[in-house]
Amino acid sequence: MGNFRGWEILVIVGLVILLFGAKKLPDMARSLGKSARILKSEAKAMKKDGESDDVAAAPTDQSAQQPVAPRTIQAAPGDVSSSRPVSEPNRTAQG
């Protein structure tokens, strides 16, 4: 299945151009790149949250903690139209 030759790849690319049109391909590539950036940033955030959970698991003084502002996710830097709040479980209730 993975043994494509040069002409087979050209036929597939030609079919994609015929199906979607040459004008829509740059938009599709742009949205694919945007999705990849979002996925990458979310993976980094999850990794960072996992590391901070390990540190937060140690006993601390609850009265010294300050309230944390809710996080928001943005699709791209400077893109405020698609940002949304992130719902997180209440960490103080876990005790």
Side-chain angles (χ1 to χ4, degrees):
M1 173 116 182
N3 297 332
F4 290 117
R5 286 180 242 128
W7 67 272
E8 293 170 337
I9 294 173
L10 288 175
V11 169
I12 292 171
V13 169
L15 287 174
V16 168
I17 291 174
L18 285 174
L19 288 174
F20 296 106
K23 292 183 180 181
K24 290 188 180 183
L25 288 178
D27 292 334
M28 291 172 54
R30 205 171 295 122
S31 65
L32 182 63
K34 191 175 183 180
S35 299
R37 282 192 303 271
I38 292 170
L39 180 64
K40 185 177 178 181
S41 67
E42 287 298 316
K44 284 183 181 180
M46 288 176 65
K47 185 176 180 181
K48 185 179 176 183
D49 286 346
E51 291 171 357
S52 66
D53 285 347
D54 293 340
V55 173
T60 59
D61 183 15
Q62 294 291 333
S63 62
Q65 292 182 350
Q66 296 180 355
V68 179
R71 282 188 359 203
T72 58
I73 298 174
Q74 293 183 341
D79 182 13
V80 294
S81 63
S82 63
S83 64
R84 58 183 167 81
V86 177
S87 60
E88 294 181 353
N90 188 357
R91 296 185 192 272
T92 59
Q94 293 177 353

